[in-house]
Amino acid sequence: MVDLKVMPYNLDDAGVKWVKDTIANMTIEEKIGQLFVNMGSSRDEEYLKSMVNNYHIGAVRYNPGKAEEVYDQNKILQENSKIPLLIAANTEAGGNGACTDGTYVGVEVKIAATNDKKYAYEMGRVSGVEAAAIGCNWSFAPIVDIDRNWRNPIISSRTFGADADTVLECALEYMKGIQESGIAPAAKHFPGDGIDERDQHLSFAPNSLSVEEWDKTFGKIYSGLIEAGLPSIMAGHIALPEYVSHFNPDATLKERQLPATLNKYILTDLLRGKLNFNGVVVTDASHMLGMTSTMKRRDILPTAIAAGCDLFLFFNDPDEDFNWMMEGYKNGVITEERLEEALTRILGLKASLGLHKKAKTEILPPKEEAMAKIGLPENKVVAEEVADKAITLVKNNENIFPISVEKSKRILLVGVKGTEGGFGKFLALMGGAKKTPVDIMKEMLEAEGFEVTIWESPIDKIAKLPVEEQREAMGNIYAAKRPIADLTDNYDLIINIADVNPNTDQRIQWPASKGTPDIPFYIHEVPTIFVSVQCPFHLADVPQVQTYINAYDNKEVTLKALVDKMLGRSEFKGVSPVDAFCGFEDTRY
């Protein structure tokens, strides 16, 4: 059984006793309920009370909201739950993952591009201060995937890079920073994303590394974190077929391709056995296709626990899922021993956070004190420093910098897009309507004295026409082509800005009107700068450009730092933590 006196729990006798006594006094319904992490769909008090009282949930991850709203929600949850709750946030990039008015520090690849591990610590520290203030005690971070496939859309910027040592170093610093505020980090996504090019939200996406390759990369990272006392891990819906065959040479194709969340060879034999992980394992979200398409949902629920997961992330339908988990226990898929083990780990984590020592009304700090910790100016300065040190001049074949009003007064800004819709559009909608990076850049450059024009593509113009006129206009799309002189006589500089959200892929999607400024064909006609503000791998689609910059995100603080660098007020300091040339020779040309 679980030893609660050693890492990562380090409980004293009183803590161990609380765990054992609590389990002994739980009904079977309460035990089954502890296995669930609810995705809060409402902050209504009646709803929150019903989730803790009717389903006895062990943990929560909630929809984003303002700090005050989240604080009130978490207070209701803790004060009405019989057993203290784990309340998680996705603080992958800072405190903004805990509340919408929290402090954004930077995505993982941007942090790594500073080439200074202290910013990984700062990201963890800021995340911890702000998340803990509003009642969070658990974080689904750091992300410790390794970006070895430039086509992978889901972690292109959500990784500390392609080098295992860098990822481990940054993850350890993040863990140190967030734990200072009493928050348990959950490293993800075990056994490791970034090898396949697909997204397990939408498809199977296995990790195809050999046993030896995995041990040298992901194995090294997870071993290092476990040795440092990592309290929890999020298992991904990611298969690790070579390791399955290592443990069972006669494994079937289905067994080899079963995702880690449902695979006993990966969670029990590899993670618990070989890596000696003693902490809590939570599944990734259970609505992702990498899990949902493997078997019937009624089988998925108990199979995940039987395989070695302690917590199941998100109900689909609470009544259905609760009953199916109970059914799995009654029919022996979840053994008494496995249930006891999972509960011991869950409650052990809660006790390691000191939740068992506090009265329900004292788990959250006083509200006024809590709100004073959100969005502090000194924390926002960290984001400015990261932006300054991270922006990377990947390709500089024509020494175009610094730009100036004297040399390049007339600028054409061209927005470059990806596929509309999908997960990226969802993220954009969650963020609300905002100015585009092109709009922000126009304002900033005009403030410097430049004359700036934003290119409107023929496709965008046609979309504004009445439906009956669109077909005829599309038929004349190539009439949009113009003399090269229309560019060379009117513009001194062209800046392409690619702001491409993740989707099934994160590639640039060119419009049908080839030969217009949408596509940078004119690199030998007008000086051209190409900037990517999300994906660090766009050189694969624009190998011809001679000046290419990775800014890593589209935040205003980043764009301001970018303008300073283009004008020569600041040096380009970033060091790419991934292969921005995407393994191609032509991208360097």
Side-chain angles (χ1 to χ4, degrees), residues 26-285:
M26 292 167 71
T27 66
I28 186 57
E29 288 78 16
E30 289 170 339
K31 289 180 178 181
I32 295 299
Q34 278 293 299
L35 304 176
F36 285 101
V37 184
N38 182 50
M39 177 61 177
S41 60
S42 168
R43 277 184 257 278
D44 176 73
E45 184 170 354
E46 186 177 342
Y47 165 79
L48 297 173
K49 288 180 178 179
S50 74
M51 294 309 300
V52 296
N53 293 327
N54 297 339
Y55 301 101
H56 320 290
I57 55 175
V60 169
R61 219 276 277 164
Y62 54 87
N63 278 322
K66 294 282 188 180
E68 189 168 348
E69 298 170 341
V70 176
Y71 178 96
D72 292 342
Q73 162 203 276
N74 292 344
K75 187 174 178 63
I76 292 168
L77 285 166
Q78 294 290 25
E79 291 185 359
N80 287 277
S81 180
K82 180 179 176 180
I83 298 170
L85 291 162
L86 293 171
I87 299 180
N90 268 0
T91 57
E92 298 177 1
N96 64 319
C99 54
T100 54
D101 44 347
T103 304
Y104 170 83
V105 177
V107 289
E108 283 76 10
V109 72
K110 186 180 184 185
I111 297 297
T114 66
N115 202 30
D116 190 339
K117 67 181 182 180
K118 84 172 184 180
Y119 291 109
Y121 163 80
E122 283 296 309
M123 182 165 69
R125 183 191 65 79
V126 173
S127 296
V129 168
E130 297 187 340
I134 57 176
C136 298
N137 49 41
W138 193 24
S139 173
F140 294 160
I143 299 173
V144 296
D145 298 316
I146 304 175
D147 206 334
R148 295 285 177 91
N149 192 328
W150 66 269
R151 294 179 176 88
N152 187 302
I154 200 62
I155 65 155
S156 66
S157 62
R158 297 170 65 229
T159 166
F160 291 118
D163 176 67
D165 291 323
T166 300
V167 173
L168 175 58
E169 181 178 58
C170 290
L172 288 169
E173 290 298 314
Y174 179 96
M175 189 166 87
K176 177 183 175 183
I178 200 166
Q179 285 185 305
E180 288 178 359
S181 293
I183 290 184
K188 62 186 183 186
H189 307 83
F190 185 85
D193 202 352
I195 303 302
D196 198 89
E197 69 182 68
R198 292 165 291 179
D199 169 9
Q200 60 267 27
H201 291 85
L202 311 169
S203 173
F204 291 132
N207 183 321
S208 59
L209 293 183
S210 69
V211 168
E212 294 74 21
E213 289 171 328
W214 191 90
D215 286 346
K216 288 187 294 186
T217 54
F218 293 98
K220 183 176 187 178
I221 292 167
Y222 279 102
S223 293
L225 292 171
I226 290 166
E227 289 172 9
L230 178 70
S232 60
I233 282 174
M234 176 178 281
H237 308 310
I238 301 168
L240 190 60
E242 295 307 309
Y243 242 114
V244 171
S245 292
H246 169 76
F247 289 116
N248 179 11
D250 298 322
T252 65
L253 178 60
K254 181 177 181 180
E255 287 172 325
R256 280 171 51 86
Q257 293 300 327
L258 204 61
T261 39
L262 301 169
N263 199 319
K264 195 171 183 179
Y265 294 114
I266 304 306
L267 293 186
T268 301
D269 295 348
L270 175 57
L271 182 58
R272 297 290 189 202
K274 184 172 181 177
L275 298 184
N276 199 30
F277 181 58
N278 190 38
V280 168
V281 176
V282 59
T283 74
D284 204 344

Side-chain angles (χ1 to χ4, degrees), residues 2-24:
V2 183
D3 187 351
L4 294 176
K5 291 191 173 184
V6 300
M7 289 195 306
Y9 309 103
N10 302 309
L11 298 186
D12 57 17
D13 290 338
V16 173
K17 184 176 186 302
W18 177 81
V19 171
K20 291 182 176 179
D21 289 350
T22 302
I23 294 173

